[in-house]
Amino acid sequence: MDRRVVITGLGPVTSIGIGIAAFGAGLRAGRSGISPISSFDTTGFPHAMAGEVRGFEPAAILRRLDPAEWGPASLFAAAAARLAVEDAGIDPERIAGPRSGASVGTCTGEAQVLQSLTEDWVRDGFGALSPADAALVPTARIGAAVNRELGFTGESMMVSAACAASNYTIGNAYDLIATGELDYMVAGGADSVVRWGHAGFYRCGLMAESECAPFDRDRTGVLAGEGGAALFLESLDSARERGARIYAEVLGYGLSCDARHPVAPDADGIARAMRRAHANAGVTPADVDYICAHGTGTPANDLTEATAVRSVFGDTPPPMSSIKSMLGHTMGAASGLGAIASVLGIKEGFMPPTINHRQADPALVGIDPVPNEARPARLRVVQNNGFAFGGNNAVTVFGEVA
């Protein structure tokens, strides 16, 4: 690993803001992006709230893609990528080609398109399916949308590691740049709110009624969210040569797959990913100033994450907050948006809050969830957690550039 890797551009598309200025303001204010679901008919659903992206006009952001030719997740990803390169202050035309690429994560792919096709099939038969709509389904198109929008012809990696996917993509992008295989990468993820996903969370008993309250004593579950996350990565030498603003350095990452259970999290597997991330980043637990938690708001997940954190950090771990309290669970974009919050916190000196926090949970003793209000802080090293069904765990570590 000869080259140091830094993040110079951020592109969030979320329910609390589109673009880094709006998203950052939303984080600082502890804004809730949860609202009644409008993307499908919720008749019959006892719970009908989610973190949908309002006011998203892809045609106002994209420069190359025709929105009519792409599904919602692809548009979230491509728009986030365009925002990230613009935030990086770099002309994608200048770096277009085989030395630039994208690594994009997702949980459900183009789920809205697939659901619509399934409804048509059930209602009107197979012959009623639209070939044009069917062409939007392949998950690989999400990564292709990013590369086509930016003119990149290098890596186009899609990672389907459920809700840890974006952290996997950041690790992949880091490796490609650090080894010199590529010079520029966009990493992140995208997913959209969809009826069957909402129903699945509800039937599994994982869904809150109206708000997500991670680490709260009375937390009841997760809320679905959607959006896109993109981070622009390049070498430190490249960023300094062009006089770029640097948010943070990618210090390293760690992965594990405990494969213990299809949906239940495992503290030992999570702790293993954290220790591997620290070793890869060359830091110790004492170096970490803040943890951007996975923090879904389910009783089991928050307790397991806290148990893993205490096993690695001891009885007084650093503060750890969950932005899912504001956004809902954005699935494949979740750890990408966590990474954006992490490096923005490093650059601007604050910890995002966990909103909806009313009562400390005695089972989570020692955990400081940064309740309800953002906190000023000098963040030198930040850990970003991402855990997923199937025991897929991915942790990224970011730091100030020395």
Side-chain angles (χ1 to χ4, degrees), residues 63-289:
R63 301 290 177 267
R64 291 186 172 192
L65 299 187
D66 179 354
E69 297 176 357
W70 301 85
S74 296
L75 294 174
F76 281 147
R82 172 61 69 176
L83 291 171
V85 297
E86 289 180 353
D87 185 53
I90 195 165
D91 181 0
E93 298 290 340
R94 183 177 72 80
I95 61 172
R99 300 290 298 174
S100 303
S103 187
V104 185
T106 191
C107 185
T108 60
E110 290 294 3
Q112 285 191 10
V113 178
L114 186 59
Q115 178 174 289
S116 178
L117 286 167
T118 303
E119 291 170 347
D120 291 345
W121 189 352
V122 170
R123 184 182 61 251
D124 300 321
F126 185 78
L129 298 187
S130 161
D133 288 347
L136 305 180
V137 170
T139 301
R141 283 176 57 85
I142 300 174
V146 172
N147 273 10
R148 190 172 298 186
E149 171 65 19
L150 301 178
F152 295 173
T153 58
E155 185 85 355
S156 181
M157 170 73 77
M158 283 302 305
V159 177
S160 184
C163 304
S166 285
N167 265 354
Y168 279 85
T169 72
I170 293 167
N172 173 239
Y174 166 79
D175 284 344
L176 290 171
I177 296 173
T179 58
E181 187 170 341
L182 292 182
D183 294 326
Y184 306 99
M185 284 289 292
V186 168
D191 266 308
S192 57
V193 168
V194 63
R195 181 190 291 116
W196 62 262
H198 182 83
F201 274 116
Y202 176 76
R203 291 300 299 270
C204 285
L206 301 175
M207 182 164 282
E209 182 175 357
S210 59
E211 65 179 24
C212 179
F215 308 117
D216 187 82
R217 183 194 65 187
D218 301 320
R219 64 192 183 276
T220 58
V222 70
L223 289 173
E226 67 181 5
L231 300 93
F232 184 77
L233 284 69
E234 61 185 302
S235 71
L236 176 61
D237 289 343
S238 167
R240 283 177 169 166
E241 181 179 342
R242 67 184 188 87
R245 174 205 48 226
I246 298 172
Y247 284 102
E249 181 174 2
V250 184
L251 299 179
Y253 67 97
L255 312 175
S256 71
C257 184
D258 53 72
R260 174 177 169 268
H261 191 276
V263 298
D266 176 66
D268 291 339
I270 290 170
R272 199 156 51 242
M274 293 182 193
R275 292 189 177 101
R276 288 173 177 169
H278 295 167
N280 183 248
V283 302
T284 69
D287 296 321
V288 178
D289 297 310

Side-chain angles (χ1 to χ4, degrees), residues 341-367:
S342 297
V343 302
L344 190 63
I346 290 172
K347 183 66 175 176
E348 297 189 356
F350 74 100
M351 301 177 193
T354 302
I355 67 169
N356 307 319
H357 194 275
R358 298 179 181 88
Q359 295 287 339
D361 186 345
L364 306 182
V365 62
I367 300 300

